[in-house]
Amino acid sequence: HERGEDRMVGRRMPDIECDGKRLYERLREGKFVLVTAAPVTLDRPHVVHTVDKHPELPDAMLVRPDGYVAWASERMPSSSELSAVIDRWSPVA
C-alpha cells in the first residue's frame, strides 16, 4: 500500500447492501462503483454511485469492476476530491 492508503485498498470488497441492492449486482454493469456514507453530487455517468452507511467500512470507497477496492477514505470527501479520485482511477476514454 502507498503511504496514507486506507486498510481496504487492494482488498476484495464485501457484498454489502447498497440502497436496497447487493453491491455485486451493481458491479455487473462492468463499471466502477462509488459507495459513500452520504449523498454526493457526482456527474460521472461511467461510475455507478450508491449511498449506504456501514459503520465497519470507510465513509467512501471506489470499487473496481473486478470487486477490489481501488481507493477508500475514512472521512466523507468533498465532491471535488471524489472527482479527482474518479478521474485518476476511471478516466473517461
Side-chain angles (χ1 to χ4, degrees), residues 35-82:
V35 181
T36 57
V40 291
T41 302
L42 192 67
D43 185 23
R44 296 292 197 277
H46 65 290
V47 174
V48 176
H49 177 230
T50 186
V51 179
D52 217 298
K53 179 70 177 150
H54 293 272
E56 75 281 9
L57 296 173
D59 281 353
M61 293 168 288
L62 185 63
V63 183
R64 300 184 327 213
D66 65 3
Y68 285 83
V69 178
W71 170 89
S73 175
E74 291 296 329
R75 65 168 180 77
M76 215 27 231
S78 68
S79 291
S80 60
E81 288 173 302
L82 285 172

Side-chain angles (χ1 to χ4, degrees), residues 5-23:
E5 278 191 349
D6 189 87
R7 63 185 163 74
M8 287 297 295
V9 172
R11 293 183 179 203
R12 182 123 177 108
M13 183 67 185
D15 189 18
I16 58 174
E17 186 167 313
C18 301
D19 284 337
K21 279 189 170 181
R22 304 303 300 175
L23 175 71

